[in-house]
Amino acid sequence: MSASARAVTSAFDASSTSSLSRRGFLGTVSAAGLGAAGLSACSDSGSSSTDSQGRTIVEWWNIQTTEPSKSVWPERAKAFEAAHPDVRIKLVTMENDAYKSKMTALTSSGKLPDIYHTWGGGVLEQQIDAGLVEDLTPSISSVIDTLVPASVKAYQFDGKTYAMPFDIGAVGFWYNKALFAEAGIQAPPATWADYLDAVRKLKSAGITPIALAGKEKWPGMYYWAYLAMRIAGIDGMQAAADAKDFTGDDFVKAGEHLKELVALQPFQKGFLGAAYSTPTGEAAAMGNGKAAMELMGQWAPVVQADAGKGIGRDLGFFPFPAVAGGKGAQTDVFGGGGGYAVRKGAPKAAVDFLKFFMSAESDRILVSKGSMMPVVQDATSALTDPNLKLVSDALGEATGFQLYLDQAYPPAVGQEINDSVAALIAGSKSPEQVARSVTQVAKSQ
């Protein structure tokens, strides 16, 4: 996900999806009360529109609200328009949570933008099931083999591809080397026990150990998800998803370990009300040197510098620690990426633009100027940012890959994971209650 995406990354956690079945959500009115008519000038499915000059309008919804991608995206649109004077690319840029809420309403109405951001997984699959998404397989057959294989997996179902990736990455701990040294921490922790010990040392040194955007919930979900991965393993995660049962000991233990962390009071003051990318949020706390760590995706350095000042060479990265006795490997990675899907019946120019956007030449620009991770194989040479290279190395060495839980599972399940883990962090739910709540929603789907 991009610099603001999870601001990957997003997740699609609008509460209006909580009671929707996999195929029965089309036509349901959003519980958020957001009527599709008031959200956008999105074309009706199967039709397209033109401007006063007769150009075909392609509406492109994105979440690139922070620099440098905030500037790169319009530049790419203008470059396409220059080569295709009969097409106008209309950018609609929104902050992550606003985007998710509006997309929930539009999905319920059956009217989607021509091109729209997706994280793949369960959300995209529901849109596909409802007949709202264009099958891109035949249109992109000439370019699919040029992509990094892992980057497209989240958008493929039953052998068909429904979105073009533009970013891929992994979640891990970003840390302030100077604050670690001040607390006497010689090396990044490799085990959960070592991690808790590092938190204690930071607190003893008067340093806030962790920045967390408690208000937005999905950043807290990362902790439970990674702990569950380390304890249950990738196969255990899949088995639980298939059985729609997360009440096993491994998932309860994940909650217990997270509760251990919460008991140390490691987060910044006011974290429960803190957003992610605002001037007083999680990224700013890291970017201004006010906290020692955050668990975040590959976009973290960009958002830290945008929301705060950035800490330059003091910024480091380490993978989520191993858990003693766990079935998962420390080289198993949790993450995802960002992609663009096309609504069913969108103008041909929408697909043409995506093929242009994800050409090797264009991807090199996204990597070098937009701080994206390369998804086109021939663009990997453009990756020079040392922080992104660390993430790339983690992906290259990955023994397993788990998509964000609030994307891998149906939206209602992802929402319940976010909500229940947030409640655990706030002290209003026990580890057992989290496991039961997630299972109850999973079985209702």
Side-chain angles (χ1 to χ4, degrees):
M1 196 171 153
S2 72
S4 63
R6 295 299 295 182
V8 77
T9 117
S10 6
F12 200 113
D13 57 2
S15 60
S16 57
T17 61
S18 60
S19 61
L20 304 181
S21 67
R22 288 187 55 74
R23 294 180 180 270
F25 74 110
L26 185 59
T28 301
V29 177
S30 168
L34 296 169
L39 297 177
S40 163
C42 291
S43 303
D44 289 347
S45 181
S47 66
S48 58
S49 58
T50 57
D51 65 8
S52 60
Q53 300 176 44
R55 296 179 299 179
T56 298
I57 297 175
V58 174
E59 191 163 314
W60 178 25
W61 280 33
N62 68 91
I63 53 176
Q64 308 309 123
T65 60
T66 58
E67 296 293 359
S69 56
K70 181 179 179 180
S71 296
V72 173
W73 260 231
E75 290 174 3
R76 292 287 80 207
K78 290 183 184 300
F80 181 81
E81 290 173 342
H84 301 79
D86 58 338
V87 178
R88 176 193 167 203
I89 304 296
K90 179 182 177 182
L91 279 81
V92 178
T93 303
M94 279 175 280
E95 186 275 330
N96 188 69
D97 282 358
Y99 171 81
K100 290 180 290 187
S101 294
K102 291 185 178 183
M103 280 299 294
T104 297
L106 289 180
T107 299
S108 297
S109 75
K111 299 177 181 180
L112 297 178
D114 295 319
I115 302 173
Y116 63 94
H117 183 100
T118 179
W119 293 278
V123 176
L124 180 60
E125 190 172 14
Q126 279 201 338
Q127 293 167 341
I128 294 166
D129 286 349
L132 302 179
V133 189
E134 193 71 40
D135 174 9
L136 300 181
T137 309
S139 302
I140 64 172
S141 59
S142 62
V143 300
I144 192 71
D145 289 339
T146 69
L147 304 178
V148 175
S151 70
V152 76
K153 293 298 184 184
Y155 318 111
Q156 293 179 323
F157 303 89
D158 299 325
K160 298 179 180 180
T161 303
Y162 290 89
M164 285 280 279
F166 67 88
D167 193 22
I168 182 67
V171 173
F173 277 109
W174 297 92
Y175 74 107
N176 188 316
K177 297 176 184 176
L179 294 182
F180 265 46
E182 185 178 333
I185 303 170
Q186 303 300 319
T191 68
W192 184 248
D194 290 340
Y195 180 78
L196 296 179
D197 187 52
V199 168
R200 295 185 187 98
K201 289 180 178 178
L202 288 162
K203 288 206 65 159
S204 296
I207 298 167
T208 298
I210 303 170
L212 181 67
K215 179 180 180 181
E216 297 186 13
K217 298 182 179 180
W218 55 265
M221 175 271 294
Y222 288 171
Y223 289 84
W224 187 85
Y226 245 132
L227 285 165
M229 278 179 58
R230 292 292 186 257
I231 297 169
I234 295 290
D235 290 343
M237 299 292 289
Q238 187 61 53
D242 292 343
K244 298 183 177 182
D245 188 348
F246 296 84
T247 57
D249 289 344
D250 290 343
F251 295 93
V252 174
K253 288 178 181 176
E256 290 172 347
H257 282 307
L258 178 53
K259 188 175 179 180
E260 288 178 326
L261 175 63
V262 173
L264 298 178
Q265 298 182 333
F267 310 120
Q268 80 275 23
K269 291 182 179 179
F271 76 92
L272 288 175
Y276 171 55
S277 59
T278 61
T280 58
E282 173 179 333
M286 274 297 297
N288 292 327
K290 301 297 184 182
M293 290 181 283
E294 69 167 334
L295 182 60
M296 194 52 61
Q298 71 280 1
W299 58 87
V302 171
V303 186
Q304 290 170 14
D306 185 78
K309 298 177 181 178
I311 58 175
R313 293 183 179 180
D314 281 336
L315 187 65
F317 178 87
F318 64 91
F320 197 92
V323 177
K327 306 177 190 73
Q330 193 177 9
T331 48
D332 290 343
V333 172
F334 175 74
Y340 288 114
V342 175
R343 71 169 175 87
K344 190 79 170 180
K348 177 179 178 294
V351 177
D352 291 341
F353 173 70
L354 285 188
K355 290 168 72 174
F356 162 84
F357 189 69
M358 290 322 304
S359 65
E361 178 183 0
S362 183
D363 197 29
R364 280 192 284 269
I365 292 173
L366 301 190
V367 173
S368 61
K369 296 179 63 177
S371 296
M372 297 290 114
M373 296 287 287
V375 297
V376 178
Q377 295 176 29
D378 287 347
T380 55
S381 60
L383 185 61
T384 59
D385 184 286
N387 288 314
L388 294 185
K389 281 187 172 181
L390 291 173
V391 179
S392 180
D393 289 345
L395 284 165
E397 298 167 2
T399 51
F401 190 86
Q402 171 66 54
L403 182 65
Y404 307 118
L405 299 190
D406 48 7
Q407 294 303 306
Y409 305 150
V413 180
Q415 175 66 40
E416 185 57 38
I417 292 173
N418 286 350
D419 288 345
S420 287
V421 173
L424 186 153
I425 292 172
S428 59
K429 262 190 176 179
S430 70
E432 293 81 6
Q433 288 173 323
V434 171
R436 287 198 300 269
S437 294
V438 173
T439 298
Q440 182 178 10
V441 173
K443 288 186 177 297
S444 73
Q445 298 301 291

